[in-house]
Amino acid sequence: MKIFIDSGNLQDIQRLVPLGIIDGITTNPTLLAKESGDYKEILKKICQIVQGPTSAEVTETDAQAMIRQGRDLSKIDPWIVVKVPLTRDGIQACKALSSEGVKVNVTLCFSPAQALLAAKVGATYISPFVGRLDDVSTPGMELIRDIVQIYENYSFKTEVLVASTRNPMHIVEAARLGADICTCPPAVIDALFNHPLTSIGLEKFLKDWEKAQAVKA
Ligand code: G3P
C-alpha cells in the first residue's frame, strides 16, 4: 500500500521523505492556507522533494472555472494531480481534465455512490474521508470496504486513496481491505513506527551487549 503525507508543510515533508516510505503528497486549501508564501512555489518545491504524485485542490466551484484552474495547476509540475470536490461540477471537471490526460483526485467522498461516479469519469484517485465519517458516528472503514469491492467488480482503474486518517488503525484497516493508498498527517505517520515492545526489546539487547563488552574488556 502506498503512503502519502497529508500536509503542505515543507519542514514536515523534508523530515519524512528521507525515511523511504513516502510515495506522494496530498494538500487541500485548509492545509495550504496554513503555510506562508506563494502556494504555487510551495507546490513546486514539494514536487521536487517527494518526486511523486502531489495533489493540489481547485478553489473554484463552477465546472468551467475548475477546468481552467485545473489546467493551470497541472502546469506547475509534471507530478501535480488536480484535486476536485465530489460535486456535479467536480465530476464534470474531472471528465474534461482526465480526457485531456490530467491526473485527477476526486475529494470529499462520503458514499459508495459518489465513488462510482468518480470512477466512471476517469478519476485517477478517489479520496473517501474516513475520519470525518467516524466523527459523525458512521464507520468510515465500511465505506472503504464498499468502494474497493465496487471498483473490483468493474475493474475500475481509479485508485482508492483513504483520506482524513486519524490514527495507525485507519492505515492497518485500509491495508486489510486492499485500499491502494493512505494519506496521513505527519503525526500519524510517526505513530506507525511506534511499539513499546520494540523500544523495550532494543534497550535490553543494547544493555546486554554493553554489559558483555564491559566484562570482556
Ligand atoms: O486532505 C483531506 C483530508 O485528509 C482531511 O482530513 O483530518 O481534516 O478530516 P481531516
Side-chain angles (χ1 to χ4, degrees):
M1 185 174 73
K2 288 175 263 184
I3 294 178
F4 288 10
I5 309 170
D6 195 33
S7 174
N9 180 273
L10 290 170
Q11 286 71 42
D12 285 333
I13 294 168
Q14 276 159 336
R15 178 175 67 80
L16 291 168
V17 166
L19 291 168
I21 61 165
I22 302 301
D23 305 291
I25 304 287
T26 56
T27 69
N28 63 46
T30 302
L31 290 170
L32 279 181
K34 292 178 185 164
E35 306 303 321
S36 53
D38 174 64
Y39 77 95
K40 287 186 179 177
E41 279 308 308
I42 295 170
L43 288 165
K44 181 75 184 166
K45 286 192 185 119
I46 290 174
C47 291
Q48 288 162 348
I49 297 166
V50 75
Q51 295 291 308
T54 298
S55 289
E57 191 162 340
V58 298
T59 53
E60 299 288 348
T61 55
D62 163 76
Q64 294 315 313
M66 279 190 211
I67 294 167
R68 285 192 297 276
Q69 192 179 18
R71 288 176 183 143
D72 187 42
L73 287 170
S74 67
K75 292 190 187 98
I76 294 171
D77 188 277
W79 285 115
I80 288 288
V81 174
V82 175
K83 225 177 173 183
V84 300
L86 216 152
T87 60
R88 290 165 185 272
D89 288 82
I91 290 294
Q92 213 180 324
C94 178
K95 177 77 174 175
L97 290 167
S98 55
S99 63
E100 294 171 13
V102 174
K103 290 190 167 51
V104 180
N105 176 357
V106 180
T107 188
L108 289 164
C109 172
F110 293 97
S111 80
Q114 288 182 316
L116 179 59
L117 300 178
K120 283 179 66 63
V121 293
T124 308
Y125 306 108
I126 182 71
S127 289
F129 283 31
V130 294
R132 295 191 188 186
L133 283 168
D134 291 351
D135 292 347
V136 293
S137 309
T138 307
M141 296 319 289
E142 285 188 10
L143 173 58
I144 305 306
R145 184 200 57 211
D146 291 347
I147 296 174
V148 169
Q149 179 66 61
I150 291 168
Y151 282 12
E152 273 170 16
N153 290 350
Y154 300 97
S155 306
F156 284 124
K157 298 212 175 359
T158 304
E159 292 191 84
V160 180
L161 195 172
V162 180
S164 180
T165 57
R166 302 288 171 72
N167 55 64
M169 283 315 295
H170 275 154
I171 288 83
V172 172
E173 290 302 326
R176 274 206 189 113
L177 293 168
D180 302 286
I181 308 161
C182 266
T183 191
C184 321
V188 172
I189 293 174
D190 289 331
L192 293 174
F193 290 86
N194 303 342
H195 195 293
L197 292 179
T198 305
S199 315
I200 292 165
L202 181 58
E203 194 182 334
K204 183 163 186 338
F205 282 162
L206 298 178
K207 209 177 270 168
D208 293 348
W209 181 254
E210 270 162 39
K211 233 188 290 173
Q213 300 319 301
V215 170
K216 291 178 187 157

